[in-house]
Amino acid sequence: MWGTMSTALLPVVLLMLLGWFGGQRGYFRQADVGVMATLVMRYALPCSLFIGALKTPPERIQNLPFILCMTFGFVGTY
């Protein structure tokens, strides 16, 4: 379960950290912050979550506690 969530969210977290470090070093202007946030929240995160859900084995999907945990984990994170 944690592996599925971390596989789906790790690229987005790394992208956010790269953006933060780039902002600290002055690689991005203040006007770019809104565009980057939109990119991450509207495209990168949903695509990453969708790919993570596609990689989940079918026998785990039929497990109700797993479904509830994934739902709250993904929705809470998003």
Side-chain angles (χ1 to χ4, degrees):
M1 170 175 52
W2 292 106
T4 303
M5 288 175 57
S6 65
T7 302
L9 295 176
L10 187 62
V12 176
V13 171
L14 288 176
L15 180 66
M16 290 171 61
L17 285 173
L18 284 173
W20 184 77
F21 284 126
Q24 291 294 320
R25 293 194 171 248
Y27 295 140
F28 304 114
R29 295 173 294 159
Q30 186 65 28
D32 297 336
V33 172
V35 175
M36 295 283 193
T38 301
L39 174 72
V40 169
M41 294 304 290
R42 290 196 180 175
Y43 297 105
L45 184 59
C47 289
S48 181
L49 294 177
F50 181 71
I51 290 171
L54 284 178
K55 292 182 179 180
T56 304
E59 51 275 354
R60 283 200 154 170
I61 293 175
Q62 297 169 350
N63 186 355
L64 184 61
F66 178 76
I67 292 295
L68 292 174
C69 182
M70 292 294 281
T71 301
F72 287 121
F74 284 157
V75 170
T77 304
Y78 184 66

